[in-house]
Amino acid sequence: MPQIYFDAATKGNPGESSCSSVIIIENERHFFTKNMGVMDNHRAEWEALIFSIQNALDLNVKNALIYTDSKLVGDSIEKDFVKNELFKSYFDEFKQLERAFDLIFVKWIPRSQNKEANQLAQQSLRKKLKSKK
């Protein structure tokens, strides 16, 4: 089953933000990054989830294990609701995108198990911040 790792990086809170996703299909790795502008770190994690799912759909992924080191995102999806109204639109978008898959799981993992996506997001953010100087 394809695996998707994603992460967001934010300089400040709120601050300039970037995200990344690593999509592993069999032995092939696909890397994606996106600069997202200024937002808080929780919003950036939700944006990263949506970005990653859209990339997976572009790769015709129909079944996926999605890994996140964001407790907020992981818990919200596991419990099937969001407490904070600010994130409801992201949750609703996730639920809509989820319908395009035959099977999809989102699982929280410790940051130490999400190093590749974390490093990619951090690199993207550093590059963006450097270009603004």
Side-chain angles (χ1 to χ4, degrees), residues 67-78:
Y67 297 101
T68 179
D69 60 21
S70 167
K71 285 292 274 176
L72 174 74
V73 172
D75 287 351
S76 295
I77 292 170
E78 181 181 327

Side-chain angles (χ1 to χ4, degrees), residues 24-36:
I24 305 166
I25 304 170
E26 295 178 12
N27 291 326
E28 195 172 334
R29 282 178 143 65
H30 302 269
F31 302 96
F32 303 91
T33 60
K34 176 182 173 185
N35 293 311
M36 302 182 294

Side-chain angles (χ1 to χ4, degrees), residues 49-67:
L49 170 66
I50 301 302
F51 173 71
S52 298
I53 291 172
Q54 290 168 334
N55 287 319
L57 290 172
D58 289 345
L59 293 170
N60 295 312
V61 170
K62 293 295 181 191
N63 299 300
L65 293 169
I66 302 176
Y67 297 101

Side-chain angles (χ1 to χ4, degrees), residues 16-126:
E16 194 66 43
S17 301
S18 293
C19 71
S20 70
S21 61
V22 179
I23 300 175
I24 305 166
I25 304 170
E26 295 178 12
N27 291 326
E28 195 172 334
R29 282 178 143 65
H30 302 269
F31 302 96
F32 303 91
T33 60
K34 176 182 173 185
N35 293 311
M36 302 182 294
V38 175
M39 62 182 60
D40 67 67
N41 61 327
H42 293 308
R43 191 175 299 264
E45 291 287 354
W46 279 105
E47 289 271 350
L49 170 66
I50 301 302
F51 173 71
S52 298
I53 291 172
Q54 290 168 334
N55 287 319
L57 290 172
D58 289 345
L59 293 170
N60 295 312
V61 170
K62 293 295 181 191
N63 299 300
L65 293 169
I66 302 176
Y67 297 101
T68 179
D69 60 21
S70 167
K71 285 292 274 176
L72 174 74
V73 172
D75 287 351
S76 295
I77 292 170
E78 181 181 327
K79 294 174 181 172
D80 202 32
F81 76 93
V82 290
K83 291 180 185 177
N84 191 327
E85 200 61 34
L86 292 173
F87 308 124
K88 185 162 179 11
S89 64
Y90 293 113
F91 181 77
D92 291 345
E93 188 171 0
F94 165 77
K95 296 302 280 182
Q96 186 70 28
L97 289 168
E98 180 183 42
R99 294 182 186 149
F101 290 83
D102 294 332
L103 191 59
I104 189 171
F105 294 103
V106 178
K107 181 176 177 8
W108 176 84
I109 57 172
R111 179 166 295 183
S112 62
Q113 294 177 24
N114 200 27
K115 287 182 182 177
E116 194 170 27
N118 178 275
Q119 290 172 347
L120 197 58
Q122 294 289 339
Q123 286 172 352
S124 178
L125 180 59
R126 281 192 298 274

